[in-house]
Amino acid sequence: MKSKSKTMNLVGTMLLTVTLTWAQAPRAGHAGRMYDVANETVIKGTIEAVTQGTRGQMMGTHVTVKVADETRQVVLGPSTFIASKGFSFAKGDLAEVTGSKATMMGTEYFIAREVVKDGKTLTLRDKSGIPEWAGRGMGRGGVATKPQ
């Protein structure tokens, strides 16, 4: 009986690993599973809160942006990447965010591609939605470097 239980656990673990790997892999026509280039839009508003996500794909800096009569949960990216670009965010900052809506765990988020604050632009993802901090060779401190 123990052997059957171990086998079932192994099979379950393998299925979970394959499923998670597939879910995170970029697919043709998509820049990853969270960013949808076809639904990209721009929001402008005031930052009401800055938080640090600590789990999985939700890790990194998030801001709550008040846009007209609603608030949006905006996912920016790794805090170290943002700081390495000379950016920081605080309550009361005005921001213009280009990004795409995504629903995760029943909550709607706005995944940022670019943020304009105080006349400066922070590019978080390229035009196809691929994070600037991922792939293309990692430089010092986990900051992505692009070929020249």
Side-chain angles (χ1 to χ4, degrees):
M1 200 63 158
K2 285 185 180 184
S3 177
K4 186 175 182 180
S5 177
K6 284 182 181 181
T7 301
M8 293 301 289
N9 282 339
L10 179 61
V11 169
T13 301
M14 289 173 57
L15 284 172
L16 179 61
T17 300
V18 168
T19 301
L20 290 174
T21 301
W22 176 82
Q24 293 178 14
R27 286 176 268 308
H30 295 5
R33 69 185 196 99
M34 290 196 319
Y35 200 88
D36 183 0
V37 177
N39 291 319
E40 191 172 85
T41 188
V42 177
I43 61 171
K44 295 178 185 180
T46 304
I47 295 176
E48 292 194 329
V50 180
T51 58
Q52 301 299 319
T54 59
R55 303 188 114 198
Q57 289 183 324
M58 299 310 292
M59 288 178 65
T61 302
H62 299 204
V63 293
T64 302
V65 179
K66 176 88 170 161
V67 181
D69 61 346
E70 65 179 349
T71 58
R72 297 276 183 95
Q73 301 302 314
V74 180
V75 178
L76 299 177
S79 305
T80 54
F81 177 81
I82 293 166
S84 77
K85 298 299 181 185
F87 273 80
S88 64
F89 297 93
K91 182 177 180 174
D93 287 347
L94 297 176
E96 177 178 302
V97 185
T98 301
S100 172
K101 289 181 189 178
T103 302
M104 292 173 278
M105 297 173 276
T107 301
E108 186 177 281
Y109 293 92
F110 194 78
I111 310 301
R113 182 174 64 79
E114 284 187 348
V115 181
V116 178
K117 185 188 99 157
D118 298 330
K120 292 176 31 184
T121 301
L122 171 63
T123 301
L124 298 160
R125 291 170 173 75
D126 67 15
K127 295 230 182 233
S128 63
I130 297 171
E132 290 292 317
W133 60 88
R136 297 187 287 280
M138 295 301 282
R140 279 195 224 162
V143 176
T145 55
K146 287 187 176 182
Q148 299 293 333

